[in-house]
């Protein structure tokens, strides 16, 4: 065994990666829930990598680390953030070398984001709505003086769109009477406030949402900067992370629905699968196409809302 080892032949049962230091992979994610610690540790052991993860919703930080050379290796982010980066030619066309990744995505989600190249790998989607504790319409909730809390997703672009539309609809004064709080994605499983309303996932159309554009369609996934120094390894990471077995095992640990047509095991409820989006009415639904880079400033200056 010793002679074989000295001549470059590894002893049976030992992996070559055992002798190689892990490659450090720089990851940015807008939310912890997209790339949780337990998943990172699994991939580190499986692929002999070491992740350095930054969790931030600071657009300027993500943009700077995408433009840089070398850039961050991998980003988990909303689809419309990725669209903005792709329009600046900052993201890798994944399909050029890994067409199979694109083939895993349900066609509905390719049509939502596709502009020809495949710069963004969708993982999750959610149709949101604002649910009220007394099962009343959103307008009735605003008129009800006894209900004071309005919990909205901590997404500056979606918040801005909500407030702009409520201003157009003449509802801004009523909204201003509520105490507006923001909700992180990993808080979506919290209970609805007894005296308030909360934005969260809808599993079916609700007759209570009588106000247009209260609901939104949100999609999240992964992108690789063009200047990533470890593109091939990151593609392998995405290959492993998006595998059917892994996605079916971990999906129900998240509050999201799958964007992969391959995730269809009996254990996955129908309303958590990719094709369930076809059963939802998307008319009068907010669909964000690109990032408003001044969203935080507009929220502060126009609506006195500071994130």
């Amino acid at each position: 065994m010793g002679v074989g080892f000295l001549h470059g032949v590894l002893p049976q049962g030992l992996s070559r990666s055992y002798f190689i230091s892990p490659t450090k992979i720089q990851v940015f994610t807008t939310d912890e829930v997209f790339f949780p610690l337990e998943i990172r540790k699994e991939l580190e052991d499986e692929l002999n990598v070491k992740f350095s993860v930054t969790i931030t919703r600071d657009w300027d930080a993500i943009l700077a680390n995408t433009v840089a050379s070398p850039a961050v290796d991998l980003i988990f982010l909303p689809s419309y953030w990725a669209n903005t980066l792709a329009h600046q030619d900052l993201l890798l066309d994944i399909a050029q070398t890994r067409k199979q990744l694109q083939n895993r995505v349900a066609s509905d989600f390719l049509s939502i984001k596709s502009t020809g190249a495949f710069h963004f790998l969708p993982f999750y989607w959610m149709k949101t709505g604002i649910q009220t504790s007394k099962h009343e319409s959103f307008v009735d909730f605003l008129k009800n003086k006894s209900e004071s809390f309005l919990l909205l997703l901590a997404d500056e672009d979606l918040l801005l769109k909500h407030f702009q539309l409520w201003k157009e609809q003449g509802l801004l004064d009523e909204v201003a009477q509520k105490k507006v709080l923001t909700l992180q994605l990993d808080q979506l499983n919290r209970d609805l406030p007894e005296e308030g309303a909360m934005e969260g996932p809808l599993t079916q159309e609700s007759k209570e949402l009588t106000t247009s554009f209260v609901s939104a369609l949100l999609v999240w996934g992964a992108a690789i900067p063009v200047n990533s120094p470890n593109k091939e390894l990151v593609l392998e990471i995405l290959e492993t992370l998006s595998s059917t077995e892994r996605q079916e095992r971990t999906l129900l640990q998240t509050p999201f629905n799958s964007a992969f047509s391959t995730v269809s095991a009996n254990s996955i409820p129908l309303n958590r699968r990719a094709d369930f989006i076809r059963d939802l009415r998307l008319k009068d639904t907010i669909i964000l196409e690109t990032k408003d880079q001044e969203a935080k400033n507009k929220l502060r200056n126009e609506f006195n809302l500071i994130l």
Side-chain angles (χ1 to χ4, degrees):
M1 178 166 61
V3 174
F5 180 79
L6 291 173
H7 283 80
V9 179
L10 291 177
Q12 185 175 4
L14 288 181
S15 167
R16 182 175 300 274
S17 64
Y18 180 86
F19 302 96
I20 303 174
S21 297
T23 302
K24 188 174 182 179
I25 301 297
Q26 299 278 351
V27 180
F28 269 44
T29 178
T30 56
D31 298 84
E32 166 79 16
V33 69
F34 298 142
F35 198 43
L37 181 60
E38 57 271 23
I39 297 296
R40 302 196 308 250
K41 289 187 175 297
E42 285 183 14
L43 291 176
E44 285 180 340
D45 293 340
E46 188 173 340
L47 300 175
N48 193 42
V49 298
K50 184 66 176 177
F51 292 110
S52 174
V53 178
T54 299
I55 302 169
T56 180
R57 287 197 62 87
D58 185 336
W59 166 259
D60 290 335
I62 289 179
L63 178 61
N65 282 275
T66 304
V67 172
S69 184
V72 65
D73 290 299
L74 175 62
I75 312 174
F76 294 94
L77 70 176
S79 61
Y80 66 96
W81 288 38
N83 289 343
T84 301
L85 295 174
H87 290 162
Q88 300 178 48
D89 298 322
L90 294 173
L91 299 181
L92 182 71
D93 183 356
I94 298 172
Q96 285 187 355
T97 57
R98 299 293 175 108
K99 184 70 174 179
Q100 63 269 31
L101 288 175
Q102 184 176 12
N103 292 338
R104 292 176 181 177
V105 179
S107 59
D108 296 276
F109 297 96
L110 292 175
S111 62
I112 286 172
K113 55 129 306 272
S114 180
T115 55
F118 185 64
H119 298 110
F120 174 73
L121 177 62
F123 275 76
Y124 304 120
W125 68 277
M126 181 188 296
K127 175 77 181 294
T128 71
I130 298 178
Q131 303 171 62
T132 61
S133 57
K134 293 182 171 57
H135 305 290
E136 58 198 345
S137 72
F138 182 64
V139 172
D140 287 338
F141 159 76
L142 292 178
K143 293 178 179 178
N144 191 333
K145 302 298 183 181
S146 67
E147 297 186 293
S148 57
F149 292 98
L150 176 57
L151 278 69
L152 301 173
L153 290 179
D155 182 311
E156 60 263 30
D157 292 78
L158 181 56
L159 283 167
L160 179 61
K161 182 61 69 173
H162 277 320
F163 276 82
Q164 288 173 335
L165 289 168
W166 292 335
K167 182 178 181 179
E168 293 176 8
Q169 295 165 348
L171 299 174
L172 197 56
D173 288 341
E174 286 87 349
V175 172
Q177 301 303 311
K178 307 298 181 181
K179 184 174 183 180
V180 178
L181 304 174
T182 56
L183 194 68
Q184 302 296 326
L185 291 176
D186 59 4
Q187 297 176 304
L188 287 176
N189 59 355
R190 64 171 293 173
D191 294 332
L192 187 65
E194 292 184 4
E195 296 182 353
M198 183 172 70
E199 189 171 24
L202 293 182
T203 57
Q204 59 186 6
E205 286 300 325
S206 171
K207 296 180 181 179
E208 307 300 334
L209 299 176
T210 56
T211 304
S212 297
F213 294 107
V214 171
S215 297
L217 177 63
L218 303 175
V219 182
W220 299 274
I224 304 173
V226 168
N227 292 334
S228 164
N230 297 293
K231 297 183 187 67
E232 285 302 317
L233 182 52
V234 174
L235 285 167
E236 184 178 350
I237 290 169
L238 291 182
E239 188 89 45
T240 303
L241 193 58
S242 65
S243 68
T244 301
E245 183 276 330
R246 188 178 298 273
Q247 285 297 305
E248 290 182 340
R249 175 162 51 88
T250 61
L251 177 68
L252 298 184
Q253 300 172 21
T254 78
F256 309 117
N257 308 319
S258 178
F260 295 113
S261 60
T262 52
V263 177
S264 58
N266 291 336
S267 60
I268 307 298
L270 295 178
N271 65 304
R272 303 293 295 275
R273 302 184 190 185
D275 56 5
F276 185 71
I277 195 173
R278 299 181 182 182
D279 296 330
L280 296 176
R281 181 174 58 86
L282 295 182
K283 182 185 178 185
D284 292 345
T285 297
I286 297 171
I287 299 178
L288 300 168
E289 297 289 346
T290 56
K291 177 81 180 74
D292 186 335
Q293 300 181 48
E294 294 298 318
K296 286 186 177 181
N297 290 334
K298 291 177 180 178
L299 283 170
R300 182 182 64 248
N301 297 334
E302 298 176 24
F303 303 104
N304 197 31
L305 185 61
I306 301 175
L307 295 182

